[in-house]
Each structure stands twice: as C-alpha cells, then as structure tokens.
C-alpha cells in the first residue's frame, strides 16, 4: 500500500469511527475495557520501549489503590467493565499490586483482569498470583507478556 492509499484508508477509518459516535445529547455507550498504566518503573531497559526513560521523572506520581478504586467508582461509564488490564512499566514492581487487582476484581464480579509483565521477577509474580488465589480471584486473572527482541534487545 503506497502512502496515498494509506492516507485515504486512515481518513475513511476515522470517518467510520466518527459516524458511529452518538449524536449530541445521546448517551455514550458504556466502557467495556479499561487499561491503566500503573507505573513507569521497570527493571528492564528494552530498546523499543519508551516507558522506562520516564520512570525518574514520574517518581512518586503513581495512583494509590484507593485512588484507582475511586476513579472506577466515580463514573457510570465504568459500571459494565468486562476487562481490565494493568500495564506499566512493570506492574509487578508495585508492592501494592495484589491490593489493586483485588479491589478491581471485587468491584466487578464478571470482569477478567490481565496483568502485562516482562516476566523477569518471578518471585513477585508468584507472590501476587498466590495472594489472588488465596482471595478466590485467580480464575479471572491472566498474564500477558511481549517479546520484542532477543538477548540484549529485550
């Protein structure tokens, strides 16, 4: 696909998306998926990633579990969530990750919760998943990981 065809495709895709929006005054559809970047901190320095370079600038700016729960409780648009995904940086660097996950899972009984990880801290992964199992949530939790390079690149 050449640049002109790609540009035309993009314009048409945006027009289709805009046409699907409700008219002014009509209700917006509920949000079904919620992705939240819990931290910029990461224990890896992957070449393709733009998150970890921001970790020093964002130190101390992470939302608390109570703030996250408050955000979800504050809007009727979140009432029908089906999927929440916790991302980062590396979410497993947060010592309160199991509390965040448990609060979300308790609020939404049908929700599936994903946690994206680089998988390097297996002890933290095991600890969080063990706690979620103890609380009876493990069947609704999944892990995701990306592999964007081999060796030094990832």
């Amino acid at each position: 696909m050449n640049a002109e065809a790609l540009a035309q495709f993009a314009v048409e895709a945006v027009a289709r998306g805009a046409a699907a929006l409700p008219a002014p005054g009509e209700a917006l559809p509920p949000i079904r998926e919620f992705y939240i970047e819990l931290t910029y901190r990461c224990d890896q320095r992957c070449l393709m990633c733009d998150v970890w370079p921001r970790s020093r600038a964002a130190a101390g700016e992470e939302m608390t579990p109570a703030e996250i729960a408050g955000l979800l409780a504050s809007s009727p648009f979140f009432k029908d969530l089906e999927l929440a995904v916790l991302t980062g940086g590396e979410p497993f660097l947060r010592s309160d990750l199991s509390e965040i996950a448990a609060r979300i899972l308790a609020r939404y009984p049908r929700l599936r919760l994903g946690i994206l990880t680089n998988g390097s801290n297996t002890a933290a992964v095991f600890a969080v998943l063990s706690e979620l199992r103890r609380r009876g949530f493990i069947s609704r939790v999944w892990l995701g990981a990306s592999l964007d390079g081999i060796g030094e690149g990832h």
Side-chain angles (χ1 to χ4, degrees):
M1 181 179 287
N2 65 30
E4 186 175 317
L6 183 59
Q8 182 61 35
F9 174 79
V11 166
E12 290 170 4
V14 169
R16 282 191 305 275
L21 290 173
E26 289 184 10
L28 292 171
I31 296 170
R32 303 274 186 221
E33 296 181 9
F34 181 73
Y35 293 74
I36 184 167
E37 196 167 87
L38 294 178
T39 185
Y40 290 131
R41 292 180 290 145
C42 189
D43 53 355
Q44 302 296 307
R45 298 295 179 257
C46 302
L47 298 175
M48 78 300 174
C49 184
D50 68 342
V51 173
W52 63 265
R54 296 183 274 176
S55 63
R56 286 193 179 173
E61 295 181 11
E62 297 172 349
M63 292 176 73
T64 67
E67 289 171 329
I68 294 167
L71 171 69
L72 292 172
S74 71
S75 173
F77 293 112
F78 294 129
K79 70 180 178 60
D80 295 321
L81 282 183
E82 298 171 357
L83 172 70
V85 181
L86 308 179
T87 72
E90 174 52 48
F92 285 96
L93 291 178
R94 292 216 32 176
S95 61
D96 56 1
L97 179 58
S98 60
E99 181 183 353
I100 292 168
R103 282 182 180 228
I104 293 170
L105 289 160
R107 179 167 182 80
Y108 301 98
R110 296 177 304 142
L111 180 126
R112 304 252 321 136
L113 180 76
I115 306 173
L116 302 185
T117 179
N118 62 34
S120 65
N121 188 343
T122 55
V125 172
F126 184 79
V128 169
L129 294 181
S130 294
E131 177 60 17
L132 294 175
R133 170 179 272 161
R134 186 187 71 72
R135 293 185 185 202
F137 294 128
I138 197 66
S139 66
R140 297 170 37 218
V141 176
W142 55 268
L143 297 179
S146 65
L147 180 60
D148 299 295
I150 296 175
E152 295 296 318
H154 192 245

